[in-house]
Amino acid sequence: LFKDEPAKPFVEDCQIDTDLEILLPDQYVNAIAERLALYRELDNLENAEQLAGFESRLIDRFGPIPEQGIQLLETIRLRWVAKALGFEKLILKHNTLVGYFVSDPESDYYQGAGFALILNFIKTHPQKAVMRQKNEKLTLRFENVRTITEAISSLADISPDRTRPLLLVPERETVE
């Protein structure tokens, strides 16, 4: 009956908590109201094409994007990859990436192909990630992850076919 309906995602959004500096600096976008509007627009982007367009418009209006801004844009990609893999929350602090899986232990997610890919990844790459369960929260932990780009790479390694469309990265002009 429901075969032709698209599958409902297990994760609607992924919260990201980090100790890295990811923002549009005051010197880059001076007006607070304009920065807030840009953050809102960025939060509503849904695919790599929209993100590339947003980045292009930023460069046209404000010039080359500083590193903190690039990391902010990459955070959007990280969120997309995390959602595609079934993470409700990511914490990237102290060079450690911890992903929190779907919080409902009875969720169909745990019987699905996405979770099977993660289990296979852990089985075949035990040196890269460790799965833990504490207080009914299941997590996946990666050590030595220092940047948003490294976090994306760590998660994308789990399922390259599933995450590749989310990772189309344009050539960038950066400022040091």
Side-chain angles (χ1 to χ4, degrees):
L1 178 64
F2 298 104
K3 256 202 290 198
D4 295 332
E5 283 189 30
K8 182 179 178 244
F10 291 105
V11 176
E12 293 295 323
D13 199 8
C14 178
Q15 175 189 346
I16 297 177
D17 186 9
T18 183
D19 57 2
L20 301 176
E21 189 175 20
I22 52 172
L23 53 85
L24 296 173
D26 297 351
Q27 305 88 327
Y28 186 64
V29 179
N30 296 326
I32 293 171
E34 193 164 22
R35 261 195 325 276
L36 291 175
L38 289 168
Y39 288 139
R40 271 192 299 279
E41 183 182 347
L42 186 59
D43 190 46
N44 290 320
L45 300 178
E46 296 179 355
N47 58 51
E49 186 178 305
Q50 289 177 353
L51 184 59
F54 179 88
E55 183 172 345
S56 179
R57 288 189 304 280
L58 271 183
I59 293 168
D60 287 347
R61 289 178 65 195
F62 304 104
I65 303 170
E67 185 56 32
Q68 307 98 310
I70 294 294
Q71 291 302 303
L72 175 65
L73 298 178
E74 289 303 296
T75 301
I76 300 304
R77 282 183 216 289
L78 177 61
R79 189 170 79 188
W80 292 338
V81 169
K83 284 170 41 178
L85 294 173
F87 292 104
E88 291 181 332
K89 180 178 182 179
L90 291 180
I91 297 177
L92 176 56
K93 292 185 177 182
H94 311 292
N95 298 330
T96 301
L97 175 66
V98 180
Y100 290 79
F101 289 100
V102 173
S103 54
D104 177 5
E106 302 299 316
S107 171
D108 290 341
Y109 168 77
Y110 293 106
Q111 279 69 50
F115 190 64
L117 285 169
I118 292 168
L119 292 175
N120 187 54
F121 176 81
I122 294 166
K123 185 174 149 186
T124 57
H125 301 89
Q127 72 286 1
K128 288 189 177 182
V130 175
M131 186 177 282
R132 294 190 176 136
Q133 184 168 359
K134 184 176 180 182
N135 299 333
E136 299 203 17
K137 292 190 191 259
L138 187 62
T139 62
L140 187 64
R141 181 183 186 99
F142 295 84
E143 298 293 337
N144 300 316
V145 179
R146 294 172 294 281
T147 66
I148 298 295
T149 304
E150 288 177 9
I152 292 169
S153 179
S154 295
L155 294 182
D157 284 348
I158 294 171
S159 177
D161 291 339
R162 187 175 283 231
T163 58
R164 189 172 294 120
L166 305 170
L167 301 177
L168 303 172
V169 179
E171 291 271 329
R172 287 200 174 108
E173 183 182 332
T174 59
V175 169
E176 297 300 322

